Amino acid sequence: MSETDQPSQGGHGRAIDDGAEPGVEPGTDRTDHGTNRGINQVADQVADRVADLGRDIGEYIKQQRSSAKISLRQLSRLAGVSNPYLSQIERGLRKPSAEILQQIAKGLRISAEALYVRAGILDVAHGGPVVDAVRADDALTERQKQILLDVYESFRRENSTQSTVEGSNVDGEPSRTGPTSEE
């Protein structure tokens, strides 16, 4: 390809079309159309994810409210959030702020962290198979899950301090450091 056959380049190294392609204006930056299309697709995907998070958190709040046998009006009063706004949150029309989620969590007597995770504000904390199983159990309320996890963590802390005590192993049994009658 000779120098005259190559498309000219704008000041930023992008190919500038000379109008040889039908429907393309001379001097048009060909990368703009593809870039804008890509940016628009990403923006649409982000908007869809935000809308999904809004619906998800709303459904989750409604589920927790129903399992706690609290009416929309009662939760509105307990959380200090207007009834219409709470209704819009539950229907996925509004995505609440972290502060509103905290108030709703207080009204539902559940962990604000659970709502933050559902809303996409916090990432799920990983704690191993037991913690993951407790968090995944839909038969438990958020309060029950938190209590179980607190008890589990207290046992783990207790066992880790016992295992550092001389003469004991992880199970709390005396360790064998010398010969025994079995040997």
Side-chain angles (χ1 to χ4, degrees):
M1 191 179 227
S2 73
E3 210 175 276
T4 57
D5 294 332
Q6 293 181 357
S8 63
Q9 294 190 351
H12 302 289
R14 288 179 270 178
I16 304 296
D17 202 304
D18 61 1
E21 189 177 332
V24 177
E25 291 291 319
T28 302
D29 186 343
R30 283 187 280 173
T31 59
D32 284 349
H33 297 296
T35 303
N36 288 341
R37 196 174 11 238
I39 290 171
N40 289 337
Q41 288 174 341
V42 170
D44 289 345
Q45 290 171 350
V46 169
D48 289 345
R49 289 202 62 207
V50 169
D52 289 345
L53 286 173
R55 279 190 293 278
D56 185 43
I57 189 64
E59 290 171 9
Y60 183 72
I61 290 169
K62 186 174 185 175
Q63 176 190 38
Q64 292 300 311
R65 182 177 59 77
S66 296
S67 68
K69 296 180 176 44
I70 298 174
S71 73
L72 188 67
R73 283 204 171 119
Q74 288 171 320
L75 180 56
S76 170
R77 192 173 53 252
L78 290 169
V81 178
S82 76
N83 195 36
Y85 184 63
L86 186 58
S87 174
Q88 290 173 348
I89 291 170
E90 285 191 356
R91 290 181 289 150
L93 301 175
R94 300 264 184 173
K95 188 169 186 262
S97 66
E99 184 180 328
I100 297 295
L101 286 174
Q102 186 175 15
Q103 290 173 240
I104 292 170
K106 185 177 177 184
L108 289 170
R109 294 184 179 205
I110 63 172
S111 156
E113 181 182 76
L115 289 181
Y116 294 157
V117 168
R118 284 289 188 152
I121 295 171
L122 277 181
D123 290 330
V124 178
H126 297 287
V130 173
V131 174
D132 291 344
V134 169
R135 285 191 177 127
D137 193 336
D138 291 334
L140 299 173
T141 67
E142 287 301 319
R143 187 167 186 268
Q144 291 168 334
K145 290 176 188 180
Q146 192 58 53
I147 291 169
L148 277 174
L149 292 174
D150 290 345
V151 170
Y152 176 68
E153 280 305 311
S154 71
F155 285 150
R156 288 182 52 88
R157 277 192 304 275
E158 181 181 320
N159 289 344
S160 71
T161 57
Q162 282 182 356
S163 67
T164 59
V165 174
E166 190 177 330
S168 69
N169 64 17
V170 174
D171 296 326
E173 298 173 5
S175 64
R176 297 183 198 178
T177 54
T180 63
S181 59
E182 295 173 355
E183 295 177 4

